[in-house]
Amino acid sequence: MPQPDILLYTANTMNGWKPLIFLHEAEIDYELRPVDFGKKEQKETWYMELNPNGRIPTIVDRGNDDFAVFESGAILWYLAEKYGRFLPDDPKLRSETLQWVMFQMGGIGPMMGQAMFFQRIAKPNGEEVPYAINRYVNESRRLLEVLDTRLKGRDWLVGDEMSIADIATYPWARTYFWATVSVEGLPHLNRWFERIDAMPRVQEALQLPEPRPAAFGKGDIDAAASANAARFKE
């Protein structure tokens, strides 16, 4: 049996879920290689030859001379162009898609990521910084309000179909619980959540490489939070 073109190195994080959602929703065969943070595999020499930043995810396209792509937004763009999926043909809509991907990469991801870090890692490990927590939670809420405004009268962030803008944004915005950011009073955003929540292949992707229900406010949240914080304890 021939190997699938795409070899995906990833973990169950907001960025790590993005290519999984794309590949599952597009029904594209791929090989999954989980990256073990506990063993710091992402910092090993072999991995950093693929991804100099030592982060996840990374893909290797065996069908294109083992071409490696890192950074989750760049991976989505590469996959969209390779497979002709989730990226409009119209030049203006393509630009809008890229704009909203960059909005996620430069805004929602970093801000919500810091909100999560200061509450879920720094604080339980004895480094509580209220100013930072307030700063990042409030800015994350503002960015979700931008999304809510954009989604008024729309099913998707760009055009009439799901695009890589939605795929990039959903894993971050949807884990608002883990960042302790309220989504009350954001009806358009919540309807968008409900729409994507109802997509079986998306939810299938979110179970890989292993389920992480606490990020979505489900399961044994206290145990998950303690284990998460312990992983980063000096």
Side-chain angles (χ1 to χ4, degrees):
M1 292 289 292
Q3 292 180 312
D5 279 356
I6 301 299
L7 171 58
L8 169 61
Y9 296 90
T10 197
N12 60 343
T13 71
M14 284 59 77
N15 285 332
W17 284 318
K18 295 177 191 176
L20 284 163
I21 292 172
F22 183 105
L23 293 164
H24 280 247
E25 192 61 30
E27 298 183 276
I28 293 168
D29 192 22
Y30 69 99
E31 180 180 340
L32 175 61
R33 170 64 163 81
V35 175
D36 189 334
F37 292 155
K39 296 179 180 178
K40 298 190 184 309
E41 284 188 319
Q42 75 276 17
K43 300 299 183 183
E44 292 184 7
T45 300
W46 67 267
Y47 185 81
M48 293 191 70
E49 288 176 354
L50 302 174
N51 184 334
N53 196 33
R55 297 289 190 270
I56 59 94
T58 301
I59 64 168
V60 175
D61 186 354
R62 295 170 172 137
N64 189 20
D65 299 320
D66 290 335
F67 185 66
V69 186
F70 68 98
E71 289 298 318
S72 59
I75 290 171
L76 289 179
W77 193 269
Y78 181 88
L79 292 173
E81 290 195 321
K82 176 180 175 72
Y83 293 107
R85 298 294 306 274
F86 308 123
L87 188 61
D89 292 327
D90 178 82
K92 291 181 180 178
L93 291 179
R94 282 176 83 90
S95 177
E96 286 188 24
T97 302
L98 180 58
Q99 290 170 53
W100 285 100
V101 170
M102 293 300 102
F103 175 77
Q104 184 280 306
M105 297 291 294
I108 292 175
M111 295 301 102
M112 292 189 72
Q114 291 298 324
M116 294 173 187
F117 172 82
F118 280 102
Q119 294 177 93
R120 300 295 184 178
I121 297 173
K123 182 178 177 179
N125 284 317
E127 297 291 339
E128 184 173 3
V129 189
Y131 181 88
I133 292 172
N134 291 335
R135 154 88 173 118
Y136 291 117
V137 168
N138 290 340
E139 179 63 4
S140 296
R141 167 68 189 203
R142 186 190 71 81
L143 294 170
L144 294 185
E145 290 172 359
V146 173
L147 285 180
D148 185 68
T149 299
R150 173 64 177 180
L151 289 163
K152 184 178 181 179
R154 296 173 175 270
D155 287 343
W156 307 105
L157 286 171
V158 179
D160 297 326
E161 299 178 346
M162 174 185 268
S163 73
I164 57 172
D166 302 285
I167 294 172
T169 305
Y170 173 78
W172 278 102
R174 188 61 180 83
T175 52
Y176 60 84
F177 172 87
W178 199 244
T180 72
V181 179
S182 171
V183 294
E184 289 187 17
L186 303 179
H188 315 298
L189 178 65
N190 279 297
R191 281 195 288 271
W192 181 74
F193 287 154
E194 291 169 2
R195 186 172 300 111
I196 303 178
D197 287 350
M199 300 174 72
R201 287 191 290 270
V202 171
Q203 300 311 309
E204 179 183 69
L206 293 177
Q207 304 307 305
L208 299 171
E210 60 183 4
R212 191 182 173 189
F216 302 92
K218 301 176 182 178
D220 191 338
I221 296 165
D222 290 341
S226 296
N228 180 71
R231 286 174 46 224
F232 295 91
K233 191 171 184 178
E234 292 293 334

